Amino acid sequence: MTEKEDYGRLIASVASSRDREAFARLFAHFAPRLKSYLMRSGAGAAAAEDFAQDAMLNVWRKAALYDPARASPSSWVFAIARNLRIDALRREQRRTFVLDASDEPDSLPPADAIMADQETAQRVLAVLETLPPDQQKVIRLSFFYDMAHAEIAQQLGLPLGTVKSRLRLALGKLRAALEVSP
Amino acid sequence: MTMRPPNDDTLLAFAAGTLSSSHALVVETHLALCEPSRAWVHELEEIGGRIVSDLEPVALEPDALARILARIEAPHPEEPDAPAVSEMPGLPEPLRRYRMGPWKWAGRGTRIRQVLVPNEGEARVLIFSIDPGRRMPQHTHTGVEFTCVISGSYSDESGRFGPGDFEEADDDVSHRPVVDSDVPCVCVVALDGEVKLEGMLGRVLQPFVRL
């Protein structure tokens, strides 16, 4: 298991004093996971390595923009990587990709396994955990497959309509729960 | 006032980064104009952050740390996303990052220009400017079309769309929205798949879309 590091403080330290040691610790945690993320999304190892490098370079450059009141450190890093991915990955690369969904856990591990040091993160993740495992799974798979959902349906052995309705149901519950709570 | 947002699964796909860059740009335009959608996407990004945190790490190349440290030391030219390159006034920020092709006449009261997004692949991003009372060019398509209104408004079978409103049309939809504002309706559109334009507009739009 990973030690509980305060990534928000490391990002702040990079922003305020260009702290290379703090950055190296951020890199040690996030870069191998970003590489993993992109490989699961269809990239080869070398491209995924370059992607993790580019994403972390943006973390270094944009650290001053990080606002802990708005996002947890991991979602901020994720959004940086996501923006790069939109620009960098061609649809063709994603399409040819086949991932075995049986590797995917049915649900996310409990929230205390990570540091969610921010209110939004805690709320959305807490609500996510209240969803049935099959609904959590389609949300999770949506982060790796494109929105046609055809691959998700194939991987889960479900009709496309079932995947779509499951996803909409899950998103509707998330949205409703988040809107109701203050 | 509540804007018409994209479907939840479209916002999830945006948050996840699985949309084409062209479609993502139209979603980003909506997000720039709609605070509730921005807040909802932030929540979905938290799920993304959580998923990435939970992934089994993949070992990096042995020189990975040395490489990144060398890269952060290297001087770099200004961020490419910093300068606004578009001369069009009133565009939401995401669209100001890109150069635009020239305006082209596309029928009475209708002008179209292409947003020159990188890696556009199969999809195109176009800005339409349509005069009051005119209709959008008629077309059918096999892919997904996203539209976000920037100024003015139009109406079609599914209602009225004003600034910030987002509409998505699947295949087989052949709608002809009519501009019902007293100023031109300016909107940004991502088109995808096989686009079939009807009548003489097909020839006019040929340079913009892969037919």
Side-chain angles (χ1 to χ4, degrees):
Chain A
M1 291 303 294
T2 56
E3 72 287 346
K4 290 194 179 182
E5 184 112 61
D6 188 342
Y7 301 111
R9 288 191 55 165
L10 294 177
I11 296 169
S13 188
V14 168
S16 63
S17 56
R18 307 271 80 186
D19 182 340
R20 284 161 179 75
E21 202 212 317
F23 180 71
R25 279 152 73 190
L26 289 168
F27 186 83
H29 175 74
F30 285 110
R33 287 171 175 81
L34 292 173
K35 184 176 180 181
S36 180
Y37 162 63
L38 210 68
M39 288 177 73
R40 283 187 164 261
S41 304
E49 175 98 15
D50 287 347
F51 171 85
Q53 284 269 333
D54 291 348
M56 292 307 297
L57 187 62
N58 279 356
V59 167
W60 171 264
R61 289 178 180 170
K62 293 177 194 276
L65 301 176
Y66 174 62
D67 176 1
R70 256 167 71 109
S72 67
S74 60
S75 86
W76 183 72
V77 172
F78 169 77
I80 283 182
R82 183 274 318 280
N83 291 344
L84 264 185
R85 180 187 174 190
I86 289 173
D87 286 340
L89 262 191
R90 307 295 288 261
R91 293 166 63 82
E92 295 77 29
Q93 288 175 287
R94 289 204 284 272
R95 227 180 244 145
T96 55
F97 169 60
V98 178
L99 174 146
D100 184 356
S102 60
D103 289 349
E104 297 292 325
D106 281 340
S107 58
L108 295 162
D112 61 9
I114 59 148
M115 266 204 28
D117 60 355
Q118 190 262 354
E119 208 182 318
T120 303
Q122 287 170 343
R123 265 197 314 147
V124 70
L125 297 172
V127 176
L128 186 66
E129 281 163 19
T130 66
L131 300 181
D134 57 357
Q135 291 178 20
Q136 291 187 36
K137 191 161 185 167
V138 291
I139 294 232
R140 185 183 163 83
L141 289 173
S142 296
F143 278 84
F144 300 105
Y145 292 117
D146 79 26
M147 74 171 294
H149 308 130
E151 291 142 315
I152 299 178
Q154 199 181 354
Q155 291 292 327
L156 297 178
L158 292 170
L160 186 58
T162 305
V163 170
K164 284 180 191 274
S165 59
R166 210 172 262 185
L167 190 59
R168 292 213 168 160
L169 194 61
L171 287 165
K173 283 185 192 167
L174 277 178
R175 192 195 260 277
L178 293 169
E179 276 168 2
V180 169
S181 42
Chain B
M1 204 190 82
T2 314
M3 287 174 194
R4 289 162 167 262
N7 293 328
D8 280 343
D9 54 352
T10 297
L11 287 175
L12 177 66
F14 172 79
T18 60
L19 290 179
S20 77
S21 59
S22 297
H23 289 87
L25 180 57
V26 180
V27 174
E28 267 190 284
T29 303
H30 166 77
L31 293 177
L33 299 169
C34 182
E35 152 60 27
S37 288
R38 271 204 306 281
W40 174 223
V41 165
H42 273 306
E43 313 249 17
L44 296 172
E45 286 168 349
E46 293 291 345
I47 298 175
R50 175 67 181 285
I51 287 172
V52 169
S53 290
D54 289 344
L55 285 178
E56 197 60 42
V58 171
L60 302 172
E61 296 296 323
D63 66 343
L65 182 62
R67 197 173 145 208
I68 193 74
L69 290 175
R71 289 182 76 190
I72 66 175
E73 298 298 341
H76 68 97
E78 265 316 292
E79 288 291 274
D81 58 19
V85 295
S86 173
E87 86 292 357
M88 246 183 104
L91 284 186
E93 189 279 325
L95 290 170
R96 288 203 300 265
R97 288 181 231 143
Y98 301 100
R99 293 185 190 286
M100 308 267 165
W103 281 113
K104 301 207 174 170
W105 181 83
R108 257 177 79 192
T110 303
R111 294 182 304 155
I112 301 177
R113 70 193 310 186
Q114 188 167 2
V115 182
L116 304 173
V117 295
N119 292 346
E120 57 195 6
E122 302 179 333
R124 297 285 179 275
V125 184
L126 305 172
I127 290 187
F128 284 65
S129 175
I130 301 167
D131 285 348
R134 309 303 318 174
R135 290 182 177 276
M136 299 256 194
Q138 184 158 21
H139 61 274
T140 56
H141 46 84
T142 56
V144 177
E145 178 184 305
F146 288 179
T147 302
C148 182
V149 178
I150 295 165
S151 56
S153 64
Y154 68 80
S155 294
D156 65 15
E157 310 76 50
S158 42
R160 187 164 197 242
F161 293 80
D165 286 342
F166 189 96
E167 186 174 26
E168 42 203 301
D170 271 347
D171 43 357
D172 301 333
V173 175
S174 182
H175 60 152
R176 287 201 73 191
V178 62
V179 174
D180 62 1
S181 50
D182 52 14
V183 293
C185 179
V186 176
C187 47
V188 58
V189 180
L191 293 164
D192 172 38
E194 295 284 311
V195 179
K196 288 199 175 71
L197 294 149
E198 286 150 29
M200 63 159 290
L201 282 175
R203 291 192 299 280
V204 176
L205 293 178
Q206 193 88 26
F208 296 113
V209 290
R210 185 174 298 156
L211 295 173

